[in-house]
Amino acid sequence: FIDFDSASIKAWESANFARARGAQVQASLDAAAVGHGLSANPTVSPRKLLIHAFAHALIDQLSLDAGYPASSLRERLYTDDDMTGVLIYTASSDSAGSLGGLAAMSAEDRLGYSIITMLDRMSWCSSDPVCIESGASGSDGLNLAACHSCLLLPETSCELNNTFLDRATLIGTPEFPDAGYFSGLLQR
């Protein structure tokens, strides 16, 4: 479980970049709700985009570092005004699902290395510049910078069906390289 600092998340999500990214996905969600004849739909915050992108990137990195298939790892997102966190866990009963390897990755030095490596990997996608510059994409246009080369995971891993993802919330964009939540940790 990774718990994010609420004050830093609130400061980041109040910036114009984060609000604009959230508003763009919210507009797609509102249009999809109307198109499907729904009277109410959830709200998508920049915080949810950030935490969901982080969870997907971390699952992908842990699959490389710990040797787990990404399909054997799952996410649980905790996002509201009072909490921001993500739980990565395994629910498989086969040899890929033994908790020992994943628990060992939570050691401070290993997890820190995995996160820095993950952010470095997220700073470039093999589908860039198309991926990082894309507008609404995916099912009902509910993703921004997210594709099969960077953030999309097997459906068994994702509690939100690979929607509400935006790699730019992590690392910024070419126009706004310092606007991502983790931009300060990247060596450019």
Side-chain angles (χ1 to χ4, degrees), residues 5-16 18-19 47 181:
D5 179 65
S6 293
S8 68
I9 291 286
K10 285 180 182 183
W12 173 81
E13 72 184 347
S14 68
N16 290 337
R19 288 195 332 252
R47 178 183 305 222
Y181 183 77

Short mmCIF file of all heavy atoms in Angstrom, two decimals, residues 5-16 18-19 47 181:
data_model
loop_
_atom_site.label_atom_id
_atom_site.label_comp_id
_atom_site.label_asym_id
_atom_site.label_seq_id
_atom_site.Cartn_x
_atom_site.Cartn_y
_atom_site.Cartn_z
N ASP A 5 1.08 11.91 0.10
CA ASP A 5 0.95 13.09 0.94
C ASP A 5 -0.22 13.94 0.45
O ASP A 5 -0.19 14.44 -0.69
CB ASP A 5 2.25 13.89 0.91
CG ASP A 5 2.16 15.13 1.76
OD1 ASP A 5 2.02 14.99 2.99
OD2 ASP A 5 2.21 16.23 1.17
N SER A 6 -1.23 14.10 1.27
CA SER A 6 -2.44 14.83 0.87
C SER A 6 -2.17 16.28 0.49
O SER A 6 -2.74 16.80 -0.47
CB SER A 6 -3.49 14.80 1.99
OG SER A 6 -3.95 13.50 2.17
N ALA A 7 -1.30 16.95 1.22
CA ALA A 7 -1.01 18.36 0.94
C ALA A 7 -0.36 18.52 -0.44
O ALA A 7 -0.73 19.42 -1.19
CB ALA A 7 -0.12 18.95 2.02
N SER A 8 0.59 17.65 -0.77
CA SER A 8 1.24 17.79 -2.08
C SER A 8 0.29 17.43 -3.21
O SER A 8 0.33 18.04 -4.28
CB SER A 8 2.53 16.96 -2.15
OG SER A 8 2.24 15.59 -2.12
N ILE A 9 -0.58 16.46 -2.99
CA ILE A 9 -1.57 16.10 -4.01
C ILE A 9 -2.53 17.27 -4.22
O ILE A 9 -2.84 17.64 -5.36
CB ILE A 9 -2.35 14.83 -3.60
CG1 ILE A 9 -1.44 13.61 -3.64
CG2 ILE A 9 -3.58 14.63 -4.47
CD1 ILE A 9 -1.09 13.09 -5.01
N LYS A 10 -3.00 17.87 -3.14
CA LYS A 10 -3.93 19.01 -3.26
C LYS A 10 -3.28 20.18 -3.98
O LYS A 10 -3.90 20.83 -4.82
CB LYS A 10 -4.44 19.44 -1.89
CG LYS A 10 -5.46 18.49 -1.33
CD LYS A 10 -5.97 18.94 0.03
CE LYS A 10 -6.94 17.89 0.54
NZ LYS A 10 -7.55 18.24 1.80
N ALA A 11 -2.02 20.45 -3.69
CA ALA A 11 -1.31 21.54 -4.37
C ALA A 11 -1.18 21.23 -5.85
O ALA A 11 -1.41 22.11 -6.69
CB ALA A 11 0.06 21.75 -3.73
N TRP A 12 -0.82 20.01 -6.20
CA TRP A 12 -0.65 19.64 -7.61
C TRP A 12 -1.97 19.71 -8.36
O TRP A 12 -2.05 20.25 -9.45
CB TRP A 12 -0.05 18.22 -7.73
CG TRP A 12 -0.02 17.76 -9.15
CD1 TRP A 12 0.91 18.09 -10.09
CD2 TRP A 12 -0.97 16.93 -9.79
NE1 TRP A 12 0.58 17.50 -11.29
CE2 TRP A 12 -0.56 16.77 -11.13
CE3 TRP A 12 -2.14 16.28 -9.37
CZ2 TRP A 12 -1.28 16.01 -12.04
CZ3 TRP A 12 -2.84 15.53 -10.27
CH2 TRP A 12 -2.41 15.39 -11.58
N GLU A 13 -3.03 19.16 -7.77
CA GLU A 13 -4.31 19.10 -8.49
C GLU A 13 -5.00 20.47 -8.59
O GLU A 13 -5.93 20.61 -9.37
CB GLU A 13 -5.24 18.06 -7.90
CG GLU A 13 -5.84 18.38 -6.57
CD GLU A 13 -6.69 17.25 -6.01
OE1 GLU A 13 -7.03 16.31 -6.75
OE2 GLU A 13 -7.02 17.32 -4.82
N SER A 14 -4.53 21.46 -7.86
CA SER A 14 -5.11 22.79 -7.99
C SER A 14 -4.45 23.60 -9.11
O SER A 14 -4.94 24.66 -9.48
CB SER A 14 -5.00 23.55 -6.66
OG SER A 14 -3.65 23.84 -6.38
N ALA A 15 -3.37 23.08 -9.69
CA ALA A 15 -2.69 23.77 -10.79
C ALA A 15 -3.52 23.67 -12.08
O ALA A 15 -4.30 22.72 -12.26
CB ALA A 15 -1.31 23.15 -11.02
N ASN A 16 -3.35 24.64 -12.95
CA ASN A 16 -4.11 24.68 -14.20
C ASN A 16 -3.93 23.42 -15.03
O ASN A 16 -4.90 22.92 -15.62
CB ASN A 16 -3.71 25.90 -15.03
CG ASN A 16 -4.19 27.19 -14.41
OD1 ASN A 16 -5.13 27.21 -13.64
ND2 ASN A 16 -3.52 28.28 -14.75
N ALA A 18 -3.25 20.25 -14.18
CA ALA A 18 -4.00 19.11 -13.62
C ALA A 18 -5.50 19.32 -13.79
O ALA A 18 -6.23 18.38 -14.18
CB ALA A 18 -3.64 18.91 -12.15
N ARG A 19 -5.98 20.51 -13.51
CA ARG A 19 -7.42 20.79 -13.66
C ARG A 19 -7.86 20.63 -15.10
O ARG A 19 -8.94 20.09 -15.38
CB ARG A 19 -7.75 22.18 -13.12
CG ARG A 19 -7.68 22.24 -11.61
CD ARG A 19 -8.35 23.48 -11.03
NE ARG A 19 -8.37 24.64 -11.90
CZ ARG A 19 -7.64 25.73 -11.74
NH1 ARG A 19 -6.82 25.83 -10.72
NH2 ARG A 19 -7.73 26.74 -12.57
N ARG A 47 -6.75 13.89 -9.40
CA ARG A 47 -6.18 12.96 -8.43
C ARG A 47 -6.41 11.51 -8.87
O ARG A 47 -5.51 10.68 -8.81
CB ARG A 47 -6.84 13.19 -7.07
CG ARG A 47 -6.41 12.28 -5.97
CD ARG A 47 -7.19 12.58 -4.71
NE ARG A 47 -7.07 13.98 -4.35
CZ ARG A 47 -6.90 14.44 -3.13
NH1 ARG A 47 -6.83 13.61 -2.12
NH2 ARG A 47 -6.80 15.72 -2.89
N TYR A 181 3.06 15.33 -11.66
CA TYR A 181 3.27 15.23 -10.21
C TYR A 181 4.70 14.79 -9.88
O TYR A 181 5.29 15.27 -8.91
CB TYR A 181 2.26 14.24 -9.61
CG TYR A 181 2.35 14.12 -8.11
CD1 TYR A 181 1.81 15.12 -7.29
CD2 TYR A 181 2.98 13.04 -7.51
CE1 TYR A 181 1.90 15.03 -5.91
CE2 TYR A 181 3.06 12.94 -6.13
CZ TYR A 181 2.52 13.93 -5.33
OH TYR A 181 2.62 13.85 -3.97
#
